[in-house]
Each structure stands twice: as C-alpha cells, then as structure tokens.
Amino acid sequence: MASTTETKQKKMLILKSADNDEFEIEESVGVQSETIKNLVEDGFTFVPLPNVYTKALIKIIDYLKKHANKTDSNDEEIKTFDKDFVNTTFDDLFELVSAANYLHISCLMNMLCQTIADRIKDKSPEAVRKIFHINCDYTPEEEAKIRKANAQAFEGQFDESLD
Amino acid sequence: MEYFLSLPKDCLSEIFSLTSPKDAGRSSLVSRGFKSIAESDVVWENFLPCDYQQIINISESFLVYSSKKELYFSLCKSPILLDGNKLSFSLDNKTGKKCFMVAPKQLAFSWDPTSRYWGLSYYPESRFSEVAYFPGFRWLDIQGKIASQMLSKQTAYTVYLVFKLAPDAFDGLEIGTSVVRFVNREAEERRKARRIGLLNAQRRDDEWMEIEMGKFFNDAGEDGDVEALLMEIRRRFGIGSLLVQGVEFRPE
C-alpha cells in the first residue's frame, strides 16, 4: 500500500517570482514551459524566475493548469478560458508576452502575439506610440520622408483608440 | 514603463509579422527602434508567399533588391516572367497573395473561320512583349488555365481578361458568356456559366482594360487545373482590332 501512495504522490515544484513570492505547482503543470522543463531535467525543484513578476506569474500558472488538463471533451471550455485570458489591457499583455517568452511557452506566446497583432491592426502611428509608451524620436523632416516612402500605408482612415 | 524596450526583439518581429504589410509600413513612423523591426527581413519574409524563393529561381526576369521589403514591393509593382514567358507572377499589394497572368501563347482561341488571320504580335506595352492580335472577327472564344496548386491557398480569386481595343473603327463588343471552373469538376460546374456585359470593362492602372470572367475559391490547391472561358465575344460588324494581353488570376 505504501508504495502505491508513493507513486501516486505528485512531484511538486516551487516557482519564485521576481518580487520573491513563492508558488507550489505540480511538476507536470510546470514542464509545459521549456525553461522550467530544462531545469527540472537538471534536477531542480526550486525555480527562481527573476524576470517574471508575481502578477504575471499568477496568470501564467492559471493558464498552465488549465492547459495541463486538456482532454478531448473540454475543448470549448479551454477556448473560452483563452478568450478571457487575453481580454485585458495592453500593459498586461506586454507583461505576459515578456514572461511567456522568458519561460518558453510557445502556445501561449503565439496566442499573445496574435492578440496584440490583431489589436494594433489599423491603428494610427500616434495610437501605437501611446500603447507602447514610446516617444517619437524623429524630426518633422524625417517623419515626412517616412510618410512619403510608405505612402500607401498611410492611405485611408485609422483607429485612434488605445484599447 | 517603456514596454517596447523591455520586450524581446523576437516578440516584436513576431507581432509585426502577424499584422499586415500596410500596418508594418505605418509602424515605421512610430520611432527609430520600431522602424528597424518593422522593416526587418524577418517580418517581410512572412508577408511573402512561402514558395517565393522557388518562383524567383525559375524566373527569367532580373530582380534587384536590398531587403525583403523592397522585394515585396517590387513583386507588387513589376510582374516577373516565368516558364519561358508563358506566365507572369506578381503579388497583391494588400495581402501579399499570389497573382498570375497567363500569356497569349498559352491561351486557346477559337474564332469565326471566315475572319481574317490572327496572330501573336510584338507589343512593347505588354508585360510579355507580345499580344494576341485580332484584326477583325465576328465571334471569338478564349480559354486560359492554371494549376490550382500554384495559387495561394484558402483564397478567393477573380479571373480577368486583360485587353485593349484598337481605336480604329471601333464598333463595340457585345455580350458574351463566361465560366470559371475546376477542370475535373466540369460537369457539376457547367451551370456556373453566366452572361456578362462586355461594356462593363474597367480601365486598369497599367492603362489596359479588364473584364471579369468569374470567381472561384482555391481551398488547399489540390483541385487540379482551373480554367476560365470567355465564349461568343461578338462584334457587330466584325471590324476593329482586339488585343489580348492575357488572362489574370488575381486574389480578391
């Protein structure tokens, strides 16, 4: 009996965020991240993640848990979960994409990049600057030159909204 | 926080690749850093068709470009010739999807046997440097075809006859019948034939005229040949010349 309980005992990992919060998760959930998988293969059970903040890590653990339980029957449920997951602000999406990139979770990366791409489509350069918090570093002459070189890209009306 | 600076370059290229050529073009205006990514080969490689390199390799046309972005716009603006000038290849500006024109020497013509002789003539304003020249006819059928696997997948195409009418003694074209269909589904698609008004021809940017022959959807490119037919083009008095540059398969 003892041996059966032991084999059923799930292997656990501890993830430590950049702001020093610790999270215990099942190894099978964590290894969906290539970065974590490599560390686990090297025998680590304590994984410091100096590039991932608590706020993003909580969301990512949620995502990994949901996707670890993927079966043939809960396809719709996962789709709904994913849709809600990306329904957030640009700042959150950037934080998540940075974390997903560091953790090498390719399906999450693809989903986040696609979401950001879809949401910046048809935006004006001014709106894109605000969304990415960028200051324009062109002189008016340079700006005019770029507009001229990409004239077709500036034909029509663009979306000025920031969401 | 300047997210742009904290995001890895790979992520940003990936995001731009998933927008469109127009969005990437506009992103160059955001900032210098943005421009270097929005104009990178990694991004524009994604806007080009996946088999562009193979197509360029078999082309007889001379291409000069210093970046993938330049190549993209060169292929949008100046078609290249393939397969011994039987076909031209270009890209649709907005989507980067593949566009082909079948040259006159690859088209099949049938015409009123009492008409005067027709032939291929040298014509510098055609991309193929020659046109099919019909000095006069009472009726004419034109057929062009292309292999569906050459076209962009999951794409709706429209087929056009590209032509000019000689300004001399023009007596107008009359209604014809057109059909666009997959050759191996000929029987079931026969009913697709429709009457078209040849007076509805549109002027193109390159100063030629075009008339729509029909539409089809290229799914996985596994449907064999697609053929476009334009039948019974009539001229009231059988005079005046018609010049055919080709039959174009263009994404909608």
Side-chain angles (χ1 to χ4, degrees):
Chain A
M1 279 305 271
S3 66
T4 340
T5 351
E6 220 169 71
T7 49
K8 272 189 179 170
Q9 184 90 41
K10 283 167 179 156
K11 282 191 181 169
M12 302 302 281
L13 293 175
I14 295 186
L15 308 183
K16 189 177 158 193
S17 74
D19 16 19
N20 295 320
D21 288 314
E22 290 181 9
F23 300 88
E24 194 179 36
I25 62 165
E26 286 170 29
E27 186 188 283
S28 60
V29 170
V31 295
Q32 294 174 86
S33 145
E34 286 294 320
T35 308
I36 296 175
K37 192 178 162 200
N38 289 338
L39 288 163
V40 167
E41 281 169 1
D42 290 340
F44 290 91
T45 52
F46 181 79
V47 183
L49 301 167
N51 289 328
V52 185
Y53 286 87
T54 300
K55 195 179 159 203
L57 190 55
I58 292 173
K59 279 206 83 173
I60 287 182
I61 291 172
D62 252 9
Y63 175 89
L64 293 176
K65 279 185 182 161
K66 198 78 198 176
H67 282 253
N69 293 322
K70 214 171 184 172
T71 60
D72 293 338
S73 56
N74 65 359
D75 209 41
E76 279 306 310
E77 194 189 321
I78 287 185
K79 267 188 197 151
T80 315
F81 173 88
D82 285 351
K83 223 174 132 189
D84 288 342
F85 188 87
V86 296
N87 187 14
T88 180
T89 62
F90 270 111
D91 286 0
D92 280 348
L93 288 173
F94 295 145
E95 197 129 341
L96 287 167
V97 83
S98 250
N101 181 63
Y102 175 74
L103 290 164
H104 286 278
I105 310 167
S106 60
C107 57
L108 179 58
M109 267 295 283
N110 293 345
M111 179 171 85
L112 291 166
C113 288
Q114 186 70 61
T115 306
I116 297 170
D118 288 346
R119 279 171 58 178
I120 61 170
K121 261 184 201 169
D122 298 324
K123 297 265 189 221
S124 71
E126 293 74 18
V128 173
R129 269 179 213 142
K130 285 178 194 152
I131 287 165
F132 282 85
H133 309 279
I134 291 174
N135 291 319
C136 176
D137 50 6
Y138 288 123
T139 63
E141 293 77 35
E142 286 172 324
E143 211 169 294
K145 213 172 140 192
I146 293 168
R147 274 185 192 276
K148 208 179 153 198
N150 296 281
Q152 274 175 343
F154 293 98
E155 279 168 14
Q157 292 284 314
F158 301 109
D159 182 1
E160 300 290 344
S161 69
L162 303 181
D163 47 49
Chain B
M1 186 172 174
E2 283 232 14
Y3 281 104
F4 168 62
L5 295 174
S6 64
L7 285 175
K9 215 178 162 195
D10 293 356
C11 289
L12 286 160
S13 327
E14 170 87 24
I15 292 167
F16 283 125
S17 306
L18 293 166
T19 60
S20 70
K22 201 173 171 183
D23 288 301
R26 237 172 20 255
S27 295
S28 292
L29 195 67
V30 172
S31 74
R32 287 172 208 274
F34 244 59
K35 182 168 178 268
S36 74
I37 297 166
E39 294 191 343
S40 68
D41 282 355
V42 186
V43 169
W44 286 83
E45 176 100 30
N46 275 289
F47 295 144
L48 289 160
C50 51
D51 58 349
Y52 80 93
Q53 199 63 59
Q54 284 138 270
I55 297 175
I56 289 174
N57 289 348
I58 59 162
S59 168
E60 297 90 20
S61 305
F62 188 57
L63 270 170
V64 188
Y65 55 93
S66 59
S67 69
K68 293 284 156 66
K69 183 178 179 182
E70 219 176 285
L71 173 64
Y72 181 94
F73 284 109
S74 163
L75 289 173
C76 290
K77 225 175 79 193
S78 322
I80 58 171
L81 301 179
L82 309 175
D83 198 13
N85 296 2
K86 288 175 191 152
L87 208 57
S88 82
F89 165 74
S90 58
L91 294 181
D92 174 58
N93 217 322
K94 284 201 185 80
T95 59
K97 292 192 169 176
K98 294 184 271 184
C99 186
F100 290 96
M101 193 189 286
V102 182
K105 63 176 159 193
Q106 276 300 97
L107 299 174
F109 299 101
S110 23
W111 69 103
D112 165 20
T114 63
S115 296
R116 283 194 289 168
Y117 179 74
W118 75 279
L120 295 171
S121 323
Y122 173 69
Y123 198 80
E125 285 163 54
S126 159
R127 61 181 72 182
F128 302 111
S129 304
E130 61 182 13
V131 288
Y133 176 65
F134 299 89
F137 60 91
R138 287 202 179 270
W139 63 263
L140 172 67
D141 292 355
I142 299 173
Q143 181 219 31
K145 64 180 173 188
I146 196 162
S148 63
Q149 78 255 26
M150 295 180 72
L151 304 169
S152 294
K153 289 172 189 166
Q154 294 292 315
T155 301
Y157 275 88
T158 308
V159 190
Y160 299 88
L161 176 73
V162 180
F163 68 98
K164 260 183 194 174
L165 295 163
D168 59 314
F170 171 56
D171 63 349
L173 289 175
E174 288 184 358
I175 300 287
T177 307
S178 81
V179 60
V180 172
R181 64 192 173 199
F182 291 104
V183 175
N184 57 16
R185 287 193 228 142
E186 191 180 340
E188 63 184 273
E189 298 198 6
R190 197 175 290 272
R191 62 194 155 77
K192 273 170 100 180
R194 55 184 189 154
R195 306 292 285 174
I196 55 165
L198 286 165
L199 291 172
N200 297 334
Q202 300 281 323
R203 187 168 291 278
R204 295 159 55 98
D205 290 344
D206 60 8
E207 294 299 308
W208 287 77
M209 303 288 286
E210 67 183 16
I211 187 127
E212 189 185 311
M213 295 168 78
K215 298 170 191 290
F216 66 97
F217 186 77
N218 189 42
D219 192 6
E222 290 163 355
D223 297 296
D225 285 349
V226 191
E227 75 175 343
L229 296 148
L230 190 51
M231 293 162 287
E232 294 172 60
I233 308 166
R234 291 180 181 278
R235 313 219 53 179
R236 223 168 308 149
F237 307 112
I239 50 169
S241 316
L242 175 74
L243 278 59
V244 175
Q245 179 171 205
V247 169
E248 186 169 58
F249 292 77
R250 196 163 80 211
E252 263 178 48

